Each structure stands twice: as structure tokens, then as C-alpha cells.
Amino acid sequence: MPWTTLASAVVGALIATASAALLDRSRWRREQDDRLISARRALYGEYLACLSQARNDFRSLARDQTVDLAERERSARDSFAPCYGMRYQMSITAASNVFAASENAFRRLRDVRDLAASGALAGDEAYSGGRAQYEAALTRLRDAMRLDLGADREPTVVRSLATPRPLSGAWSDSP
């Protein structure tokens, strides 16, 4: 019965080839996901840094009573300008829930910019309220980013080390 040997070899070869193809596809998909997460992590960090820099500039403007209105407006707009480029990058790279949160934070910070540009000072109620709305939007944005990146998920390696399992009675007190 040489034909059964040949059929077995062919079936074995098909199974091996299909398994290798599935493994390669799985590895490729995992590498693609890793690259996307890395790109998003870098973008999210840059976006938060850009918003933070603009926010700090607005804080300085709101505390400085000596800057005239024209200079205040120019400075506020110049400080916020880099945020537009980052906003467009977020629109094409971020997950949809992160992009929605980033738009909200962007708009709330733009409101703070407008307040600082119009001469509002740090102690003014309008400025404090605008700043509080921005901080709340920023918190929602960071939460959405953490969720998207899986930042609160415990890595598999750490989880397996945290709950070690005995190997065939190695930790057993019984003989």
C-alpha cells in the first residue's frame, strides 16, 4: 500500500504548510498592531506636550498684567499655532474615541487662549472657569488615550510571574 504512505506525506505537508502560513499571518498581524500602538503612543505624547506648552504660555499671559492687548493676542495665537498641526495628525492616526476627546480638549484650550488673548487674568472667574473646563477635557482625553493604548492592562509576563504555579508538587509539603 504505497499510496497510503504518499497520501499521508501529502496531507502532512499540507498541514505543515497551512500551519506555517497561519503562524506567519498571526505574527505579521501582531507586529502591525505593535507598530500602530507605538506610533499612537508617540503621537499622543507629542499632542499632550503641545497642549501643555500652550497651556503654560496662556498661564504666563494670564499672570502678567504688564503685557498690552495687541502683544497678548499675538503671543496667545503664536503659542497655540503648533497645536493645529498635531490636531490634524490626531485626526488620521488616533482611535475615534481618542480623536473625539482630543477635539474637545483642543476646543476648550482654544477657549482658554481666547480668554488670555482678550486680557483675562488668572484670578478672573471667566478664566478660571475656562481653565477648569479644559482640565476636565484633558482628563477625559488622557483616560481615552490610556484605554486605547492598554496602559492599565497588566503585561502577560508580569501576570504569570505574579502568580507562580507549582511544578508537579515542587512546592508541596507532602511526600
Side-chain angles (χ1 to χ4, degrees), residues 39-165:
R40 284 182 175 171
R41 182 176 291 115
L43 175 61
Y44 294 172
E46 289 175 35
Y47 188 66
L48 290 174
C50 189
L51 294 178
S52 177
Q53 181 62 51
R55 169 64 181 94
N56 288 336
D57 291 347
F58 302 153
R59 180 182 304 143
S60 295
L61 275 178
R63 289 181 177 167
D64 189 352
Q65 298 177 10
T66 64
V67 179
D68 69 11
L69 196 57
E71 176 60 24
R72 183 178 292 276
E73 186 174 322
R74 187 199 58 74
S75 179
R77 295 203 185 282
D78 288 349
S79 295
F80 195 64
C83 296
Y84 282 97
M86 295 302 300
R87 175 189 190 198
Y88 297 133
Q89 288 182 43
M90 290 289 287
S91 72
I92 62 171
T93 304
S96 59
N97 63 323
V98 174
F99 176 64
S102 75
E103 276 294 293
N104 188 36
F106 179 88
R107 289 183 176 130
R108 298 302 67 81
L109 185 59
R110 186 175 57 196
D111 294 343
V112 173
R113 175 206 64 190
D114 293 345
L115 289 166
S118 68
L121 297 176
D124 294 348
E125 190 174 319
Y127 184 81
S128 297
R131 191 185 69 230
Q133 288 179 2
Y134 166 69
E135 294 296 334
L138 183 63
T139 297
R140 288 189 297 275
L141 173 58
R142 284 192 307 253
D143 290 346
M145 288 174 169
R146 291 181 63 78
L147 179 65
D148 182 47
L149 297 174
D152 293 330
R153 186 182 67 230
E154 191 175 322
T156 305
V157 174
V158 172
R159 188 174 31 246
S160 66
L161 292 175
T163 56
R165 296 184 188 143

